[in-house]
Amino acid sequence: MNKAGMLKALAATAMVSALTLGLAGPASADGSVTWKNGKTQWYLASSPNGGGVTTTNYYWHWQDIQNSDGTWNEVDQFGNCLTGYGSQAYTEKCNSGRDGTNPYQRWREINTGSGWKLQNVQSGGFLDESGSGSGYGSVYVNGTDWNNQNQRWY
């Protein structure tokens, strides 16, 4: 193979690798993830005893567990599941194992090409952050898909 042919082959391999890596992200496999808000750049966080969720300026790890229906459980560091009920987002005790949760505790992870939208299975609403960026943000489920950075998670 001549030099030009070798360069074309390397470029094609690099492009395929870049495309493959570009599709990977938090929703790519079961495991530990952090969810960082696209607007505020703060991380989704919870409290030890369940209850409301918020955002914070330090890493907060969640366990991403895929169910057989393609949805995901988001389990916090204390074993509680991210739950959406109406417009409320909070954590509560759950059977976090694969297929062990109810529709309120299941989320669709939708790749937007510039992050992820987390859509609650029961309500169809999207995990949203108030976007204040001036401290701990208010996290809730928004019934309207604004397709904006407040609803984008990385």
Side-chain angles (χ1 to χ4, degrees):
M1 179 181 293
N2 65 23
K3 190 174 185 179
M6 188 179 336
L7 288 175
K8 283 183 183 178
L10 286 172
T13 301
M15 188 179 342
V16 170
S17 296
L19 289 172
T20 302
L21 289 173
L23 295 176
S28 63
D30 290 352
S32 180
V33 298
T34 57
W35 290 111
K36 185 176 185 180
N37 185 263
K39 176 158 182 153
T40 65
Q41 302 297 300
W42 286 47
Y43 297 92
L44 183 65
S46 63
S47 62
N49 300 321
V53 293
T54 187
T55 53
T56 184
N57 62 350
Y58 57 89
Y59 287 102
W60 195 265
H61 294 277
W62 295 81
Q63 187 69 23
D64 214 19
I65 300 170
Q66 189 170 27
N67 296 299
S68 62
D69 63 2
T71 62
W72 297 83
N73 302 336
E74 300 304 322
V75 184
D76 70 10
Q77 299 172 49
F78 311 106
N80 297 314
C81 281
L82 180 62
T83 304
Y85 185 79
S87 63
Q88 299 174 39
Y90 56 93
T91 60
E92 66 182 4
K93 291 291 179 196
C94 62
N95 175 355
S96 61
R98 181 179 165 97
D99 298 326
T101 56
N102 63 51
Y104 295 95
Q105 298 170 336
R106 292 185 183 206
W107 299 85
R108 291 183 188 95
E109 297 181 357
I110 302 166
N111 187 343
T112 67
S114 63
W116 299 90
K117 290 190 286 189
L118 301 177
Q119 183 181 35
N120 184 261
V121 169
Q122 180 65 33
S123 71
F126 296 87
L127 195 66
D128 203 325
E129 210 265 67
S130 61
S132 66
S134 60
Y136 295 101
S138 175
V139 177
Y140 61 100
V141 177
N142 191 330
T144 302
D145 180 6
W146 294 108
N147 199 29
N148 62 23
Q149 289 300 308
N150 293 47
Q151 295 177 344
R152 195 82 68 244
W153 301 88
Y154 304 95

Short mmCIF file of all heavy atoms in Angstrom, two decimals, residues 9-45:
data_model
loop_
_atom_site.label_atom_id
_atom_site.label_comp_id
_atom_site.label_asym_id
_atom_site.label_seq_id
_atom_site.Cartn_x
_atom_site.Cartn_y
_atom_site.Cartn_z
N ALA A 9 -6.60 4.97 4.88
CA ALA A 9 -7.04 3.89 5.76
C ALA A 9 -7.00 4.33 7.22
O ALA A 9 -7.92 4.07 8.00
CB ALA A 9 -6.18 2.65 5.56
N LEU A 10 -5.93 5.03 7.61
CA LEU A 10 -5.82 5.54 8.98
C LEU A 10 -6.91 6.56 9.27
O LEU A 10 -7.51 6.56 10.35
CB LEU A 10 -4.45 6.15 9.22
CG LEU A 10 -3.30 5.15 9.38
CD1 LEU A 10 -1.96 5.89 9.41
CD2 LEU A 10 -3.48 4.32 10.64
N ALA A 11 -7.18 7.43 8.31
CA ALA A 11 -8.22 8.45 8.51
C ALA A 11 -9.58 7.79 8.66
O ALA A 11 -10.39 8.19 9.50
CB ALA A 11 -8.22 9.42 7.33
N ALA A 12 -9.87 6.78 7.86
CA ALA A 12 -11.15 6.07 7.97
C ALA A 12 -11.28 5.38 9.32
O ALA A 12 -12.34 5.43 9.96
CB ALA A 12 -11.29 5.05 6.83
N THR A 13 -10.21 4.75 9.78
CA THR A 13 -10.22 4.09 11.09
C THR A 13 -10.44 5.11 12.20
O THR A 13 -11.23 4.90 13.11
CB THR A 13 -8.90 3.33 11.33
OG1 THR A 13 -8.74 2.38 10.29
CG2 THR A 13 -8.89 2.65 12.68
N ALA A 14 -9.77 6.25 12.11
CA ALA A 14 -9.93 7.30 13.12
C ALA A 14 -11.35 7.83 13.14
O ALA A 14 -11.93 8.09 14.19
CB ALA A 14 -8.94 8.43 12.87
N MET A 15 -11.96 7.99 11.94
CA MET A 15 -13.32 8.49 11.87
C MET A 15 -14.31 7.51 12.50
O MET A 15 -15.18 7.90 13.27
CB MET A 15 -13.73 8.76 10.42
CG MET A 15 -15.08 9.46 10.36
SD MET A 15 -15.72 9.88 8.72
CE MET A 15 -14.39 9.82 7.63
N VAL A 16 -14.18 6.23 12.22
CA VAL A 16 -15.04 5.21 12.81
C VAL A 16 -14.87 5.20 14.32
O VAL A 16 -15.84 5.16 15.07
CB VAL A 16 -14.77 3.82 12.19
CG1 VAL A 16 -15.48 2.73 12.98
CG2 VAL A 16 -15.20 3.80 10.74
N SER A 17 -13.64 5.28 14.79
CA SER A 17 -13.39 5.31 16.24
C SER A 17 -14.02 6.53 16.87
O SER A 17 -14.63 6.44 17.93
CB SER A 17 -11.89 5.30 16.53
OG SER A 17 -11.32 4.11 16.08
N ALA A 18 -13.89 7.69 16.24
CA ALA A 18 -14.47 8.92 16.79
C ALA A 18 -15.98 8.83 16.83
O ALA A 18 -16.61 9.24 17.80
CB ALA A 18 -14.03 10.12 15.95
N LEU A 19 -16.59 8.29 15.78
CA LEU A 19 -18.05 8.14 15.77
C LEU A 19 -18.51 7.19 16.86
O LEU A 19 -19.50 7.43 17.54
CB LEU A 19 -18.53 7.65 14.39
CG LEU A 19 -18.44 8.67 13.27
CD1 LEU A 19 -18.75 8.00 11.94
CD2 LEU A 19 -19.35 9.85 13.52
N THR A 20 -17.80 6.10 17.03
CA THR A 20 -18.15 5.13 18.07
C THR A 20 -18.03 5.76 19.45
O THR A 20 -18.92 5.64 20.28
CB THR A 20 -17.24 3.89 17.98
OG1 THR A 20 -17.38 3.33 16.68
CG2 THR A 20 -17.61 2.86 19.03
N LEU A 21 -16.95 6.48 19.71
CA LEU A 21 -16.76 7.13 21.00
C LEU A 21 -17.80 8.22 21.21
O LEU A 21 -18.27 8.43 22.32
CB LEU A 21 -15.35 7.71 21.11
CG LEU A 21 -14.24 6.69 21.24
CD1 LEU A 21 -12.88 7.39 21.18
CD2 LEU A 21 -14.37 5.91 22.53
N GLY A 22 -18.18 8.91 20.15
CA GLY A 22 -19.16 9.98 20.26
C GLY A 22 -20.52 9.47 20.71
O GLY A 22 -21.30 10.20 21.30
N LEU A 23 -20.84 8.22 20.45
CA LEU A 23 -22.12 7.67 20.85
C LEU A 23 -22.08 7.13 22.27
O LEU A 23 -23.12 6.89 22.86
CB LEU A 23 -22.54 6.55 19.88
CG LEU A 23 -22.80 7.01 18.44
CD1 LEU A 23 -23.10 5.81 17.57
CD2 LEU A 23 -23.93 8.02 18.39
N ALA A 24 -20.91 6.90 22.81
CA ALA A 24 -20.81 6.38 24.16
C ALA A 24 -21.06 7.50 25.15
O ALA A 24 -20.92 8.66 24.85
CB ALA A 24 -19.42 5.78 24.40
N GLY A 25 -21.43 7.17 26.36
CA GLY A 25 -21.69 8.17 27.38
C GLY A 25 -22.34 7.51 28.56
O GLY A 25 -22.29 6.30 28.70
N PRO A 26 -22.99 8.29 29.41
CA PRO A 26 -23.57 7.73 30.62
C PRO A 26 -24.51 6.57 30.36
O PRO A 26 -24.58 5.64 31.15
CB PRO A 26 -24.31 8.92 31.23
CG PRO A 26 -23.61 10.11 30.70
CD PRO A 26 -23.13 9.71 29.34
N ALA A 27 -25.25 6.60 29.27
CA ALA A 27 -26.24 5.56 29.04
C ALA A 27 -25.68 4.36 28.28
O ALA A 27 -26.43 3.49 27.87
CB ALA A 27 -27.42 6.13 28.27
N SER A 28 -24.39 4.29 28.12
CA SER A 28 -23.82 3.25 27.29
C SER A 28 -23.79 1.88 27.96
O SER A 28 -23.77 0.87 27.28
CB SER A 28 -22.42 3.64 26.84
OG SER A 28 -21.57 3.77 27.96
N ALA A 29 -23.76 1.81 29.27
CA ALA A 29 -23.71 0.51 29.95
C ALA A 29 -24.02 0.70 31.43
O ALA A 29 -23.90 1.80 31.95
CB ALA A 29 -22.33 -0.12 29.79
N ASP A 30 -24.40 -0.40 32.08
CA ASP A 30 -24.59 -0.34 33.52
C ASP A 30 -23.29 0.13 34.17
O ASP A 30 -22.21 -0.24 33.75
CB ASP A 30 -24.93 -1.72 34.08
CG ASP A 30 -26.32 -2.20 33.68
OD1 ASP A 30 -27.08 -1.42 33.08
OD2 ASP A 30 -26.64 -3.36 33.96
N GLY A 31 -23.41 0.93 35.20
CA GLY A 31 -22.22 1.36 35.91
C GLY A 31 -22.41 2.69 36.60
O GLY A 31 -23.50 3.27 36.60
N SER A 32 -21.34 3.20 37.16
CA SER A 32 -21.36 4.46 37.89
C SER A 32 -21.34 5.63 36.90
O SER A 32 -20.56 5.64 35.96
CB SER A 32 -20.14 4.52 38.81
OG SER A 32 -20.14 5.73 39.52
N VAL A 33 -22.23 6.60 37.14
CA VAL A 33 -22.30 7.80 36.30
C VAL A 33 -22.43 9.03 37.18
O VAL A 33 -22.81 8.94 38.34
CB VAL A 33 -23.48 7.76 35.30
CG1 VAL A 33 -23.36 6.61 34.33
CG2 VAL A 33 -24.81 7.71 36.03
N THR A 34 -22.12 10.17 36.62
CA THR A 34 -22.47 11.46 37.21
C THR A 34 -23.37 12.14 36.19
O THR A 34 -23.18 11.97 34.98
CB THR A 34 -21.24 12.33 37.48
OG1 THR A 34 -20.52 12.51 36.27
CG2 THR A 34 -20.33 11.70 38.52
N TRP A 35 -24.35 12.87 36.66
CA TRP A 35 -25.23 13.62 35.77
C TRP A 35 -24.99 15.11 36.02
O TRP A 35 -25.31 15.63 37.08
CB TRP A 35 -26.70 13.27 36.02
CG TRP A 35 -27.06 11.89 35.58
CD1 TRP A 35 -27.38 10.83 36.37
CD2 TRP A 35 -27.13 11.41 34.24
NE1 TRP A 35 -27.64 9.73 35.61
CE2 TRP A 35 -27.50 10.06 34.29
CE3 TRP A 35 -26.91 12.00 32.99
CZ2 TRP A 35 -27.68 9.27 33.14
CZ3 TRP A 35 -27.08 11.21 31.85
CH2 TRP A 35 -27.46 9.87 31.94
N LYS A 36 -24.39 15.77 35.04
CA LYS A 36 -24.06 17.19 35.13
C LYS A 36 -25.05 17.98 34.27
O LYS A 36 -25.24 17.65 33.10
CB LYS A 36 -22.62 17.40 34.65
CG LYS A 36 -22.10 18.79 34.81
CD LYS A 36 -20.63 18.80 34.37
CE LYS A 36 -19.99 20.14 34.61
NZ LYS A 36 -18.57 20.12 34.17
N ASN A 37 -25.65 19.00 34.85
CA ASN A 37 -26.64 19.79 34.12
C ASN A 37 -25.98 20.64 33.03
O ASN A 37 -24.95 21.26 33.26
CB ASN A 37 -27.44 20.67 35.08
CG ASN A 37 -28.55 21.41 34.36
OD1 ASN A 37 -28.38 22.55 33.98
ND2 ASN A 37 -29.66 20.74 34.16
N GLY A 38 -26.61 20.66 31.86
CA GLY A 38 -26.06 21.38 30.72
C GLY A 38 -26.01 22.88 30.88
O GLY A 38 -25.15 23.53 30.32
N LYS A 39 -26.93 23.46 31.63
CA LYS A 39 -26.93 24.91 31.81
C LYS A 39 -26.06 25.34 32.99
O LYS A 39 -25.19 26.19 32.85
CB LYS A 39 -28.33 25.43 32.01
CG LYS A 39 -28.34 26.92 32.28
CD LYS A 39 -29.62 27.58 31.99
CE LYS A 39 -29.42 29.08 32.28
NZ LYS A 39 -30.25 29.90 31.56
N THR A 40 -26.30 24.77 34.15
CA THR A 40 -25.61 25.23 35.36
C THR A 40 -24.24 24.60 35.55
O THR A 40 -23.42 25.12 36.30
CB THR A 40 -26.44 24.92 36.61
OG1 THR A 40 -26.54 23.50 36.78
CG2 THR A 40 -27.81 25.57 36.53
N GLN A 41 -24.01 23.44 34.90
CA GLN A 41 -22.77 22.69 35.07
C GLN A 41 -22.63 22.13 36.48
O GLN A 41 -21.54 21.85 36.94
CB GLN A 41 -21.54 23.53 34.69
CG GLN A 41 -21.57 24.05 33.27
CD GLN A 41 -21.55 22.93 32.24
OE1 GLN A 41 -20.63 22.14 32.17
NE2 GLN A 41 -22.60 22.83 31.42
N TRP A 42 -23.74 22.00 37.19
CA TRP A 42 -23.77 21.42 38.53
C TRP A 42 -24.26 19.98 38.41
O TRP A 42 -24.94 19.61 37.45
CB TRP A 42 -24.66 22.24 39.45
CG TRP A 42 -24.03 23.54 39.85
CD1 TRP A 42 -23.42 24.45 39.02
CD2 TRP A 42 -23.95 24.09 41.16
NE1 TRP A 42 -22.98 25.52 39.75
CE2 TRP A 42 -23.29 25.33 41.06
CE3 TRP A 42 -24.38 23.66 42.40
CZ2 TRP A 42 -23.04 26.13 42.15
CZ3 TRP A 42 -24.13 24.46 43.50
CH2 TRP A 42 -23.47 25.68 43.37
N TYR A 43 -23.96 19.15 39.42
CA TYR A 43 -24.23 17.72 39.39
C TYR A 43 -25.52 17.37 40.13
O TYR A 43 -25.80 17.92 41.20
CB TYR A 43 -23.07 16.95 40.03
CG TYR A 43 -21.78 17.12 39.27
CD1 TYR A 43 -20.90 18.13 39.61
CD2 TYR A 43 -21.47 16.29 38.20
CE1 TYR A 43 -19.72 18.31 38.90
CE2 TYR A 43 -20.29 16.47 37.49
CZ TYR A 43 -19.43 17.48 37.84
OH TYR A 43 -18.27 17.66 37.13
N LEU A 44 -26.27 16.42 39.58
CA LEU A 44 -27.47 15.91 40.22
C LEU A 44 -27.08 15.21 41.52
O LEU A 44 -26.16 14.39 41.53
CB LEU A 44 -28.18 14.92 39.28
CG LEU A 44 -29.49 14.34 39.76
CD1 LEU A 44 -30.56 15.45 39.89
CD2 LEU A 44 -29.96 13.27 38.79
N ALA A 45 -27.75 15.55 42.63
CA ALA A 45 -27.41 15.01 43.94
C ALA A 45 -28.68 14.69 44.72
O ALA A 45 -29.77 15.16 44.39
CB ALA A 45 -26.56 16.02 44.71
#
